[in-house]
């Protein structure tokens, strides 16, 4: 599903350059649930943004579902991003003046799905995250955990091949974090490939594999016996 070879990334700031990723080799099979860990500044978000085609690599190669992602023009990149990838962020990134349902329907609007089908699909995905009754509510009327579940429903509505989540539980207390992880595990059980950036070991233990970044390289990559979040919910 994902294959990265000898990936390098630097940020240029004036005459200085910060070499953040220094030769990453990494592949992910369909159906995996991977945690990316590492200290603050180790390059986790940089890696996730490159995987998510929100940023470009300097050197190396990236293949996503058989497609080499390099030197794509902005239109093609946007097409692949919409087709392959769903995003979830620490700060939810919901649109405040739109209802939960309208937020979930948004990617379908960009896919040019008709209004009625958009609504039906949005309700279906809200149902899956347990928020069917909250469809008409604004984000400001929802708790943090509910907001993140709406954000997950929105990401899933586009039916992405890969779900990328940067600190999805970073703004939540531990009980709510486990609720969100329970949902992520269920989505993964249904066959979706998911990558999560987290600095919380408890959250990483709920994934199937943990990758550790340090000084711009992967220093550890291990399969783990997954802990079910539902035990804690
Ligand atoms: P955190 O756990 O704090 O979120 P992270 O592992 O996600 O950290 P990154 O955001 O990938 O770290 O940042 C890696 C390094 O690159 C940091 O030193 C950061 O300051 C730098 N950096 C990140 N984005 C940019 C940018 N757009 N321009 C310049 N430097 C950047
Ligand atoms: Mg980060």
């Amino acid at each position: 599903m994902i294959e990265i070879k000898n990936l390098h990334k630097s940020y240029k700031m004036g005459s200085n350059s910060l070499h953040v990723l220094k030769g990453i080799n990494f592949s992910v099979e369909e159906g995996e649930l991977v945690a990316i860990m590492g200290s603050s500044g180790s390059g986790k978000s940089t890696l996730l943004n490159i995987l998510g085609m929100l940023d470009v690599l300097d050197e190396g190669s990236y293949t996503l579902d058989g497609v080499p992602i390099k030197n794509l023009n902005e239109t093609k990149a946007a097409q692949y991003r919409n087709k392959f990838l769903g995003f979830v962020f620490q700060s939810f990134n919901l649109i405040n003046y739109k209802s939960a349902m309208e937020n979930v329907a948004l990617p379908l609007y960009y896919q040019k799905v008709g209004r009625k089908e958009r609504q039906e699909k949005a309700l279906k995905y809200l149902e899956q995250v347990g928020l069917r009754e909250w469809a008409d509510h604004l984000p400001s009327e929802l708790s943090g955990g509910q907001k993140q579940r709406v954000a997950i429903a929105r990401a899933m509505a586009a039916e992405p091949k890969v779900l990328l989540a940067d600190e999805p539980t970073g703004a939540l207390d531990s009980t709510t974090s486990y609720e969100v992880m329970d949902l992520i595990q269920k989505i993964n059980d249904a066959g979706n490939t998911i990558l999560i950036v987290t600095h919380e070991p408890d959250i990483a233990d709920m994934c199937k594999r943990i990758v550790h970044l340090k000084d711009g390289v992967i220093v550890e990559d291990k399969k783990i016996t997954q802990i079910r979040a539902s035990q804690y919910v």
Side-chain angles (χ1 to χ4, degrees):
M1 179 62 68
I2 285 174
E3 186 156 25
I4 272 197
K5 288 196 182 134
N6 194 30
L7 165 75
H8 285 261
K9 175 72 180 176
S10 300
Y11 290 110
K12 281 152 202 73
M13 290 165 290
S15 55
N16 293 327
S17 168
L18 181 67
H19 198 177
V20 178
L21 300 176
K22 303 173 184 168
I24 305 270
N25 292 290
F26 177 54
S27 54
V28 178
E29 302 294 325
E30 194 169 346
E32 285 202 76
L33 173 53
V34 185
I36 299 170
M37 295 194 77
S39 55
S40 180
S42 60
K44 305 180 296 295
S45 296
T46 302
L47 177 60
L48 205 76
N49 289 344
I50 292 172
L51 293 173
M53 300 172 64
L54 299 171
D55 200 353
V56 290
L57 51 81
D58 295 334
E59 242 183 79
S61 68
Y62 172 22
T63 312
L64 173 61
D65 202 35
V67 179
I69 305 295
K70 205 174 182 180
N71 305 326
L72 291 178
N73 65 37
E74 201 30 60
T75 318
K76 265 266 178 260
Q79 257 173 26
Y80 283 124
R81 202 157 48 228
N82 291 336
K83 186 167 155 200
F84 290 128
L85 302 163
F87 296 93
V88 174
F89 301 96
Q90 176 171 355
S91 51
F92 323 126
N93 293 13
L94 297 177
I95 297 176
N96 290 327
Y97 58 86
K98 287 190 183 288
S99 69
M101 186 180 70
E102 289 166 335
N103 268 281
V104 176
L106 206 59
L108 302 169
Y109 175 82
Y110 291 118
Q111 290 181 345
K112 302 195 165 52
V113 174
R115 186 183 163 83
K116 190 157 186 295
E117 194 186 337
R118 282 206 302 273
Q119 291 198 348
E120 282 167 9
K121 274 201 168 179
L123 288 176
K124 182 183 110 178
Y125 282 96
L126 278 175
E127 172 98 53
Q128 282 182 12
V129 302
L131 292 175
R132 174 67 180 76
E133 314 85 275
W134 294 84
D136 297 327
H137 287 255
L138 292 173
S140 58
E141 298 165 333
L142 304 176
S143 70
Q146 288 173 326
K147 280 184 212 166
Q148 195 57 300
R149 277 149 61 199
V150 172
I152 292 171
R154 179 179 59 183
M156 296 309 296
E159 294 174 357
K161 296 213 172 196
V162 181
L163 184 66
L164 301 170
D166 198 348
E167 306 266 6
T169 62
L172 306 174
D173 62 47
S174 59
T175 308
T176 316
S177 294
Y178 297 145
E179 279 169 19
V180 165
M181 283 309 293
D182 183 48
L183 176 61
I184 285 175
Q185 287 178 332
K186 282 183 178 143
I187 293 170
N188 175 249
D189 290 343
N192 284 87
T193 310
I194 307 180
L195 278 78
I196 298 176
V197 165
T198 182
H199 60 263
E200 296 166 82
D202 285 1
I203 296 300
D205 283 343
M206 291 171 181
C207 298
K208 293 174 177 168
R209 175 180 166 194
I210 304 180
V211 170
H212 266 269
L213 276 184
K214 194 179 174 194
D215 298 330
V217 294
I218 293 176
V219 289
E220 190 178 26
D221 185 342
K222 60 176 183 191
K223 289 223 163 19
I224 55 164
T225 311
Q226 189 185 35
I227 296 171
R228 300 303 298 190
S230 54
Q231 287 179 255
Y232 298 90
V233 175

